[in-house]
Amino acid sequence: MTRRDIITAVPVGFRRDGTFDEDGSRRILRYVARSGNEGAFVLGTTGEFPALDEGEFRANVAIALEELGDVMRVIVHVGRSSTFEAVRRIEIAREMGATEFAAITPYYLAAPEEMIYDYFAALSAALGDTTLFVYNYPKRSGNTVSPELMARLAALPGIVGAKISEMSLDELAAYRAVVPAEFLIYTGADRELLAAGEAGAQGVVSGVSSVFPTPFRALVAAAESGDAGRTAVAQAAVDDVCSVVGGDMARMKAAYRNLGVADVVCRMALAEPDAAALAEIERVCVQYR
């Protein structure tokens, strides 16, 4: 059977004064726990990781493992701008019981390919018996992992897969062509769950599914049924929620407020949805809750 994992990219909750809202974050995690999805990607882009200090990192790892550890995989993002800080976060999360990690490339300053390799080699050495995904998001990090570099990274101990964000299906296929068959590739493009599978991916890391898991579960079920008409209808529903919410954390949190999940906002400098956007968010909340 074709593998179509849905890994939920989980937002972190903040109060309107910018402080970390542990209760709101727990409410989001408990909502995600009921989704039926295969895993959770915590403290990544959707989790606003650059805005969290080390204490907040610890707190979020703790509550994610507590709320989700018995029902789904928990992939903890540890990527930082420096090797020292990324290794430190692996050490912290390992001590707390995390077993799966992901790390974005070094970011902000341009990094030569050999420095990116050295960064991931150091993370590999810190893994012990745990595993790590390479998070390749050049539009945000400013640095990229080429297919040639990905092939080298796939040979490092403990590096078992990659998350590829905002790259084309042809680019995704180029990564698939150079890594071992067992190497997992997840797309960061929520609506391309099925299309990415045809290009060699094993699933999606989806922020939209943190709010609206039902259309994504329906799409997988439809694809597995082999019914083309049912699949088209399910894909249209996924396209609908993605067009309204997309990768916008402020819209995700507006949807949580609408659904009564958690009264939380973003910490980073993100625009709040306007009246027209809020009306569309309310529509999809009613339609796909």
Side-chain angles (χ1 to χ4, degrees), residues 114-202:
E114 282 307 308
M115 294 301 296
I116 296 174
Y117 178 84
D118 290 347
Y119 168 87
F120 281 107
L123 269 57
S124 168
L127 288 172
D129 58 355
T130 65
T131 59
L132 182 133
F133 288 81
V134 174
Y135 185 5
N136 192 25
Y137 198 173
K139 289 186 179 179
R140 290 289 178 267
S141 71
N143 293 307
T144 189
V145 176
S146 67
E148 295 76 18
L149 178 55
M150 190 70 77
R152 294 175 64 197
L153 297 180
L156 288 170
I159 295 186
V160 298
K163 180 193 174 190
I164 309 296
S165 289
E166 289 198 55
M167 302 182 79
S168 71
L169 294 174
D170 287 343
E171 289 171 309
L172 192 152
Y175 290 107
R176 179 78 275 161
V178 299
V179 295
E182 65 273 13
F183 191 84
L184 297 174
I185 294 179
Y186 293 140
T187 179
D190 303 68
R191 69 178 70 201
E192 291 183 351
L193 172 60
L194 300 188
E198 294 173 2
Q202 283 71 51

Side-chain angles (χ1 to χ4, degrees), residues 24-201:
S25 295
R26 280 188 183 275
R27 289 173 181 271
I28 292 170
L29 289 165
R30 288 171 181 170
Y31 182 79
V32 168
R34 299 191 295 271
S35 67
N37 289 341
E38 284 73 26
F41 190 97
V42 300
L43 297 166
T45 302
T46 302
E48 301 181 64
F49 77 90
L52 297 173
D53 64 27
E54 187 175 293
E56 291 167 333
F57 174 85
R58 287 178 179 273
N60 277 279
V61 172
I63 62 174
L65 293 174
E66 181 180 340
E67 299 294 345
L68 302 178
D70 292 336
V71 295
M72 62 175 61
R73 296 165 57 198
V74 177
I75 302 172
V76 178
H77 177 254
V78 295
R80 303 295 293 177
S81 57
S82 74
T83 302
F84 175 85
E85 290 184 321
V87 168
R88 171 71 177 151
R89 277 163 172 70
I90 287 178
E91 293 170 345
I92 291 168
R94 280 189 64 193
E95 290 174 0
M96 299 175 72
T99 59
E100 291 191 73
F101 300 98
I104 201 166
T105 60
Y107 51 88
Y108 186 68
L109 296 179
E113 186 167 282
E114 282 307 308
M115 294 301 296
I116 296 174
Y117 178 84
D118 290 347
Y119 168 87
F120 281 107
L123 269 57
S124 168
L127 288 172
D129 58 355
T130 65
T131 59
L132 182 133
F133 288 81
V134 174
Y135 185 5
N136 192 25
Y137 198 173
K139 289 186 179 179
R140 290 289 178 267
S141 71
N143 293 307
T144 189
V145 176
S146 67
E148 295 76 18
L149 178 55
M150 190 70 77
R152 294 175 64 197
L153 297 180
L156 288 170
I159 295 186
V160 298
K163 180 193 174 190
I164 309 296
S165 289
E166 289 198 55
M167 302 182 79
S168 71
L169 294 174
D170 287 343
E171 289 171 309
L172 192 152
Y175 290 107
R176 179 78 275 161
V178 299
V179 295
E182 65 273 13
F183 191 84
L184 297 174
I185 294 179
Y186 293 140
T187 179
D190 303 68
R191 69 178 70 201
E192 291 183 351
L193 172 60
L194 300 188
E198 294 173 2

